[in-house]
Amino acid sequence: MKAAKAAPAISEAQVEAAEAEIVEQSKRIDFYLTEYSVELLAKKMTDGDYVVPPYQREFTWEDERKSRFIESVLMGLPIPFLFFWEMSDGKLEIVDGSQRLRTLAEFVLGGFRLGELESLPAVSGFRFEDLPESRRRKIKNRSIRGIVLNEHADEQARFDMFERINTGSKVANKAEVRRGALAGPFMNLVIELAALPAFDALAPMSTKLKNERENEELVVRFFAYGDGLEGYKDRPSEFLFKYAKKMNALFDQNQQLAPTYRQRFLTMLDFVAATFPNGFRRIPNGKATPRARFEAIAIGSHLAITANPGLRQQPPDVSGWLNEEAFSDITGGDGANAKGRLQRRMTFVRDRLLGA
């Protein structure tokens, strides 16, 4: 039996680089702790001192889940930390905890009636006002702790916090968070293009994915990857967030960028419609649009017609390679976000369209 190969020793230079990276990232996180009573939290929520960002507004608990949460409060079970971001006007944007806060305000101040409770069945159907005065005081006096990212923490830190807190949960995804956190002219264009009927016809997807802004995710990826992968480190979320933030600023500075980028997307759609029989789908009547396949065809097409505009007048025949194993391999799921694979699928389609 062979002995396990020893891992290479970490050099002093690697240790210094790692420490520098930790220090740099830590600078973005600046926070303080808070602890408020349920009474104050409900009042602040009702008064508008706490702001629910756009990417969370569509996510509301059903009555059953609200009742279960209030039941946990009544039983004295631990309540997870609330997370906020301090806005420039002093209000606190809710990064995580909007459902808990909304439910507390609705119960304490809004007349919410509890549904069927499992552990406290005798309290089923109660409103806050129906509880004894002593119990109401106890609920209002209970405190909940929170963490506030102060105004010096940047948008990426806020985005990272939301993503890490909610990993695996049924919450807003990256496209939704990006849409809410980075409202601006570039994101407005993304939303406009994602809603185009022509795009919907070429890149079909389920209602569920549309509600999760998957169509907007694809549009952002088209522009971001098409503009080059400089700074890409196999982490699409961070790369796309920084790109969208940068483009919002550039669109603000140059009013001609929006029409230029709009035309880039429309030209690509026209070319794909004329060249690829199934659009971005694998099969003629497919109802799904795999991300890797979309990236390969959309960005590869853009690169090809940029290199040779004449392709738009005489679309090449793609039947010879579109169903090749080589194309299936580069658009497969394993390691799909690795920079090398991303580059290969973009250049594969570009080169085939150019006849290489």
Side-chain angles (χ1 to χ4, degrees):
M1 183 176 177
K2 287 186 177 181
K5 190 176 180 181
I10 301 296
S11 69
E12 187 175 341
Q14 287 177 298
V15 172
E16 291 176 356
E19 179 62 18
E21 191 171 68
I22 292 170
V23 170
E24 181 60 31
Q25 290 298 316
S26 298
K27 289 178 182 177
R28 298 170 42 239
I29 310 298
D30 196 358
F31 67 91
Y32 61 87
L33 297 174
T34 65
E35 189 163 359
Y36 295 130
S37 68
V38 165
E39 181 178 26
L40 184 58
L41 289 170
K43 185 176 186 305
K44 282 179 171 288
M45 194 69 192
T46 304
D47 291 347
D49 288 336
Y50 294 152
V51 178
V52 180
Y55 56 84
Q56 295 191 53
R57 286 177 192 151
E58 294 179 17
F59 286 80
T60 56
W61 283 352
E62 63 280 4
D63 287 352
E64 181 182 354
R65 192 167 180 185
K66 291 177 186 176
S67 297
R68 186 170 176 79
F69 172 68
I70 296 299
E71 182 180 40
S72 298
V73 173
L74 293 171
M75 293 170 63
L77 294 175
I79 297 175
F81 271 66
L82 302 167
F83 289 83
F84 302 97
W85 177 64
E86 187 176 54
M87 303 170 72
S88 58
D89 62 2
K91 292 183 178 181
L92 298 182
E93 179 180 290
I94 307 167
V95 177
D96 184 68
S98 70
Q99 301 300 334
R100 280 167 275 155
L101 287 170
R102 281 188 268 190
T103 300
L104 285 173
E106 196 173 340
F107 182 62
V108 174
L109 300 174
F112 175 71
R113 186 181 294 277
L114 297 172
E116 291 295 321
L117 303 183
E118 183 177 332
S119 299
L120 299 174
V123 191
S124 298
F126 273 54
R127 295 170 302 164
F128 184 72
E129 295 79 7
D130 299 323
L131 295 168
E133 186 176 356
S134 59
R135 178 56 56 189
R136 297 202 301 269
R137 286 199 192 101
K138 290 174 182 178
I139 293 172
K140 290 195 283 189
N141 288 339
R142 184 172 179 188
S143 63
I144 301 176
R145 304 186 75 183
I147 292 177
V148 181
L149 275 177
N150 73 22
E151 60 182 327
H152 301 299
D154 63 17
E155 288 138 318
Q156 182 68 46
R158 170 180 161 213
F159 179 78
D160 289 345
M161 177 190 278
F162 187 90
E163 182 183 359
R164 289 171 187 273
I165 290 168
N166 291 300
T167 298
S169 300
K170 184 185 176 184
V171 294
N173 60 29
K174 297 175 181 66
E176 291 157 336
V177 177
R178 189 164 56 237
R179 187 192 218 227
L182 294 176
F186 171 71
M187 288 306 301
N188 289 342
L189 177 64
V190 168
I191 293 167
E192 171 198 325
L193 297 176
L196 289 174
F199 181 48
D200 186 54
L202 292 170
M205 60 188 67
S206 67
T207 301
K208 178 179 180 294
L209 284 177
K210 285 183 182 177
N211 289 340
E212 293 174 357
R213 318 294 183 193
E214 175 66 11
N215 48 356
E216 295 173 20
E217 175 78 11
L218 296 183
V219 177
V220 173
R221 285 173 178 242
F222 169 73
F223 288 130
Y225 297 160
D227 277 347
L229 298 177
E230 182 180 354
Y232 184 86
K233 299 176 181 177
D234 298 350
R235 296 194 295 270
S237 174
E238 182 178 329
F239 180 78
L240 297 174
F241 188 95
K242 290 180 177 178
Y243 175 83
K245 181 178 180 180
K246 176 187 73 175
M247 295 307 292
N248 270 337
L250 291 176
F251 273 42
D252 268 332
Q253 296 167 13
N254 184 351
Q255 303 299 314
Q256 294 307 309
L257 279 180
T260 300
Y261 274 69
R262 180 183 293 106
Q263 190 56 53
R264 180 201 295 190
F265 190 77
L266 296 177
T267 299
M268 178 275 294
L269 287 185
D270 287 344
F271 179 78
V272 170
T275 307
F276 294 86
N278 302 333
F280 301 109
R281 299 172 294 236
R282 287 196 183 97
I283 56 177
N285 296 317
K287 303 298 182 183
T289 302
R291 283 183 180 178
R293 189 178 181 90
F294 170 82
E295 291 163 359
I297 293 175
I299 301 166
S301 294
H302 164 67
L303 295 175
I305 57 183
T306 298
N308 180 8
L311 290 176
R312 295 173 58 192
Q313 280 68 52
Q314 292 184 317
D317 180 9
V318 300
S319 59
W321 57 266
L322 192 58
N323 297 313
E324 281 181 1
E325 187 176 343
F327 184 60
S328 296
D329 286 344
I330 64 164
T331 55
D334 294 337
N337 292 320
K339 186 174 182 178
R341 284 184 64 91
L342 179 54
Q343 288 175 319
R344 282 196 294 277
R345 62 176 171 265
M346 288 158 49
T347 55
F348 180 97
V349 173
R350 179 200 65 189
D351 292 346
R352 291 300 186 277
L353 290 172
L354 292 173

